[in-house]
Amino acid sequence: MVNALIIDEKDTVAVAIEQLTKGNTACFTLSDGSEKEITLLDDVQIYHKFAIKEMAKGSPVVKYGEHIGIAGCDINPGNHVHVHNVESHREDLDNK
């Protein structure tokens, strides 16, 4: 059963659309209609993010196809992604 969502294939996080519990499975639909499942390593509150891809410290965190920050530490698929492991990062918008 789908209990999370992504918007863009570039996303490194999914958003929980219900309360999710550590050890249970999160499921979301890809653009081709297939479903992907990830075992959660942390509890994830409704509307919070969790990693769907490995993110090394310093790599971009991508939600809805946009960079929302950088990983403040290594983040594994299934980890809750929030202020404790994401850092703000000002992108150079003048050179885009």
Side-chain angles (χ1 to χ4, degrees):
M1 179 176 110
V2 173
N3 54 14
L5 69 93
I6 66 166
I7 299 295
D8 192 291
E9 294 292 327
K10 295 178 287 200
D11 289 352
T12 60
V13 298
V15 176
I17 56 175
E18 62 184 49
Q19 181 73 29
L20 302 175
T21 307
K22 177 181 178 177
N24 286 334
T25 301
C27 180
F28 52 94
T29 305
L30 300 173
S31 62
D32 66 4
S34 64
E35 291 184 358
K36 182 167 182 175
E37 294 183 345
I38 294 200
T39 301
L40 295 168
L41 302 176
D42 302 304
D43 290 338
V44 181
Q45 295 176 17
I46 188 170
Y47 308 129
H48 278 228
K49 301 171 295 302
F50 61 90
I52 60 173
K53 298 177 182 174
E54 286 188 28
M55 291 176 273
K57 181 178 180 175
S59 65
V61 177
V62 182
K63 176 182 172 187
Y64 304 152
E66 299 294 331
H67 291 187
I68 61 168
I70 59 171
C73 61
D74 291 344
I75 302 173
N76 295 308
N79 280 138
H80 181 217
V81 176
H82 200 52
V83 297
H84 67 283
N85 56 6
V86 176
E87 298 175 359
S88 294
H89 177 70
R90 170 98 168 107
E91 293 195 34
D92 186 2
L93 301 177
D94 294 332
N95 290 322
K96 285 198 168 193

